[in-house]
Amino acid sequence: MDDQFNINHEAMLGHDTASNKSHQIADYLGTVILSGFPKVEHLSILHNISVSKLMRDFKTTYQTSPYLYFRRLQMEFAEQYISRTGCSKKQMAFMLGFSNPANYTLCYNRYKSSKLEKTGKRTFVPDIDEKNKILITQFPLPVAMFDLSMNYLLASAQWMKEFDFPEADPVGLNFFDAFSETSPDLETLKNKIDNRKIEDCAGSYDFYNNGHVIKCIVNLWHNENKEVSGVIIYVASL
């Protein structure tokens, strides 16, 4: 990557120790922003650290997850690159490895908004009913709403806390990218989505994140035409 595009890292918190490899991991993520997120399991093997410790130390040091940190680096790079070259959004999405340019646009818009507003109203997907916005975001339990590709539409504050999301809403992220650990049920759900069998997704699932089991209930949601438009997932127990 060209040295002229300097990544502005978030303020580094905490202290370096022999066992805390968060800064090494953060530096490594800065070298692969054009290659795609390497997955937490790969990072743990590469830096000889367990997944649970990696996630815990990284959250303590940077106040976010490796994936969201990586996305931030990508958006900082995109902002600098676009300002210098006039690159189009579609070209930038391709360069950063987004399979769907719309997901890149959502992610970039959220990044730009977060720079301008530390607080204020969230920006929601326009076709989500206002009642759903109020219900989901203020629901007192971890719950989130997704589209047909499992991209985030809405999430409650409790959900965001459980998955270590920052204050900004998770629009532009995908459900499968936020987990620190794989599990049979996670792979089962992913296979159904990849094979366009979302109608078969409803049910109970056990997911693993940050070293503990999350028991979730997956239900379908329908638009005003009674068509399946995605899923709603809520955490039954931790």
Side-chain angles (χ1 to χ4, degrees):
M1 182 175 60
D2 196 323
D3 291 338
Q4 67 177 319
F5 300 111
N6 297 314
I7 298 302
N8 178 26
H9 288 206
E10 295 293 311
M12 293 184 176
L13 304 176
H15 301 281
D16 282 317
T17 66
S19 62
N20 188 338
K21 301 182 179 181
S22 299
H23 296 323
Q24 297 176 33
I25 294 169
D27 289 342
Y28 174 74
L29 290 175
T31 69
V32 296
I33 59 175
L34 301 182
S35 305
F37 185 67
K39 299 298 183 183
V40 175
E41 291 81 3
H42 173 76
L43 292 174
S44 70
I45 294 172
L46 186 64
H47 293 88
N48 193 29
I49 183 175
S50 70
V51 169
S52 59
K53 179 170 173 53
L54 184 157
M55 295 294 290
R56 184 171 60 252
D57 287 352
F58 204 94
K59 177 64 183 299
T60 300
T61 305
Y62 290 99
Q63 304 301 296
T64 190
S65 68
Y67 176 75
L68 294 180
Y69 184 92
F70 175 79
R71 279 290 188 237
R72 177 81 181 189
L73 293 180
Q74 284 192 314
M75 296 306 105
E76 289 180 354
F77 172 80
E79 182 179 41
Q80 295 178 42
Y81 193 87
I82 290 171
S83 68
R84 292 173 184 269
T85 68
C87 175
S88 70
K89 290 181 178 180
K90 186 174 182 179
Q91 291 171 322
M92 196 72 248
F94 177 78
M95 184 181 297
L96 293 177
F98 282 80
S99 58
N100 185 350
N103 290 342
Y104 160 76
T105 300
L106 286 171
C107 196
Y108 187 72
N109 287 344
R110 295 308 304 162
Y111 161 75
K112 294 289 286 186
S113 296
S114 69
K115 291 186 65 178
L116 297 174
E117 301 179 38
K118 294 299 182 182
T119 59
K121 296 181 179 180
R122 296 180 181 175
T123 300
F124 294 98
V125 177
D127 61 351
I128 299 298
D129 184 86
E130 188 66 27
K131 292 181 180 179
N132 285 331
K133 299 175 188 177
I134 296 173
L135 175 64
I136 297 282
T137 56
Q138 297 185 20
F139 201 72
L141 295 173
V143 61
M145 190 174 186
F146 304 86
D147 65 15
L148 293 170
S149 298
M150 296 300 289
N151 297 313
Y152 276 92
L153 298 178
L154 301 168
S156 69
Q158 290 295 321
W159 179 283
M160 294 166 69
K161 179 180 179 181
E162 170 61 31
F163 289 97
D164 295 329
F165 286 124
E167 292 184 2
D169 69 64
V171 169
L173 301 179
N174 188 274
F175 173 76
F176 298 107
D177 294 327
F179 284 90
S180 64
E181 303 167 50
T182 60
S183 66
D185 281 5
L186 189 68
E187 292 300 316
T188 295
L189 182 60
K190 189 176 189 305
N191 288 335
K192 290 179 181 179
I193 296 299
D194 290 344
N195 291 314
R196 302 183 183 279
K197 295 181 178 179
I198 195 167
E199 292 83 359
D200 300 331
C201 287
S204 300
Y205 295 82
D206 288 347
F207 303 128
Y208 294 83
N209 196 52
N210 293 333
H212 63 272
V213 180
I214 304 175
K215 295 184 177 297
C216 292
I217 304 297
V218 177
N219 286 318
L220 306 177
W221 68 270
H222 302 75
N223 61 22
E224 59 183 10
N225 296 321
K226 308 300 181 182
E227 299 169 332
V228 176
S229 296
V231 301
I232 294 177
I233 302 178
Y234 69 89
V235 176
S237 64
L238 300 175

